[in-house]
Amino acid sequence: MIAAKENVPKLTPEEYFAWEEKQLEKHEYIDGEVYAMSGGSKNHSLISVRFITLFSNHLEDSSCETGNSDLRVNIVETNDYTYPDVSVTCDDRDKATTQYITYPCLIVEVLSPSTEAYDRGGKFRMYRNNPNFQDYLLVSSTSIEIDLYHKNEAGDWLIINYKEGDTVELKSINLKFSIEHVYRGLVLTPESENSQTA
């Protein structure tokens, strides 16, 4: 997803929720400012759906919940809200909220050229405020590449780069899968992202 700052006065969180209900598109909310979320490429959408299906099927007999890009994530101890492409929470506290979750253990962002730096930098720094957060997947939509940021038992973040032929391991939800499973049948070219609008 691509974020663009809107020309809207600063809002309180309550005003943001009320305002966004009347909008035609989704908006992230950071430091009182709203940012419109525009659509991504076809590959971006297909990859997101594959992760949602994979996680939902794997977790169907658990208490965990898988959210799509319509589910807000509240950044812990802030009034900031983002819309990741895919999120998974296994925390009972998230069952008590209806408009967002706060304690995901896993987040997936499908990368776009215009948002990759933010996804790897500022957004990741915000997500790390959550003590339950263990796995952050950054997924290319133009080549068979996935970067996993994983928090180990010592609390250190490790970066694991997956490429064609690799098996991805998500310890947060006890899942292993072939990287090709996500990319099956997709036409992967840099041009697939170039037609996006900012």
Side-chain angles (χ1 to χ4, degrees):
M1 294 258 178
I2 302 166
K5 188 174 177 184
E6 289 279 291
N7 189 20
V8 174
K10 278 204 168 191
L11 303 173
T12 66
E14 295 76 17
E15 290 169 337
Y16 159 67
F17 284 121
W19 175 83
E20 197 187 36
E21 280 184 11
K22 300 172 186 168
Q23 306 307 308
L24 297 177
E25 54 190 12
K26 296 178 297 201
H27 296 78
E28 292 193 338
Y29 177 80
I30 309 294
D31 294 328
E33 305 281 355
V34 294
Y35 296 82
M37 304 300 295
S38 62
S41 67
K42 178 180 176 183
N43 280 356
H44 188 290
S45 175
L46 293 174
I47 290 168
S48 297
V49 168
R50 287 179 184 173
F51 274 109
I52 291 164
T53 303
L54 179 67
F55 297 163
S56 295
N57 289 341
H58 174 68
L59 296 168
E60 66 180 351
D61 294 324
S62 76
S63 63
C64 300
E65 298 174 328
T66 303
N68 67 9
S69 61
D70 289 331
L71 180 60
R72 293 183 193 93
V73 170
N74 171 226
I75 305 302
V76 172
E77 296 181 0
T78 75
N79 288 317
D80 296 340
Y81 297 88
T82 64
Y83 281 105
D85 291 309
V86 184
S87 57
V88 176
T89 180
C90 301
D91 194 294
D92 286 341
R93 289 172 290 183
D94 285 329
K95 294 190 183 340
T97 55
T98 59
Q99 295 188 320
Y100 57 86
I101 61 171
T102 305
Y103 302 100
C105 58
L106 166 62
I107 286 176
V108 178
E109 294 284 6
V110 181
L111 298 175
S112 302
S114 60
T115 62
E116 181 169 356
Y118 174 52
D119 289 338
R120 290 185 184 279
K123 210 169 201 183
F124 180 46
R125 282 191 293 277
M126 288 192 297
Y127 289 148
R128 287 188 317 197
N129 291 330
N130 168 15
N132 291 22
F133 191 43
Q134 294 178 359
D135 287 324
Y136 187 42
L137 272 184
L138 296 176
V139 183
S140 173
S141 60
T142 60
S143 59
I144 300 178
E145 294 179 81
I146 294 177
D147 289 339
L148 170 62
Y149 292 66
H150 172 73
K151 185 168 67 175
N152 65 17
E153 291 182 3
D156 299 319
W157 285 94
L158 310 174
I159 303 174
I160 304 164
N161 307 108
Y162 294 106
K163 60 187 184 318
E164 195 168 352
D166 288 342
T167 297
V168 180
E169 181 177 10
L170 300 176
K171 292 184 178 178
S172 58
I173 59 171
N174 193 28
L175 174 65
K176 293 181 182 180
F177 60 92
S178 163
I179 195 170
E180 280 82 7
H181 182 72
V182 172
Y183 290 99
R184 66 194 185 279
L186 298 183
V187 177
L188 300 172
T189 61
E191 290 76 29
S192 66
E193 291 287 341
N194 289 343
S195 60
Q196 292 187 28
T197 56

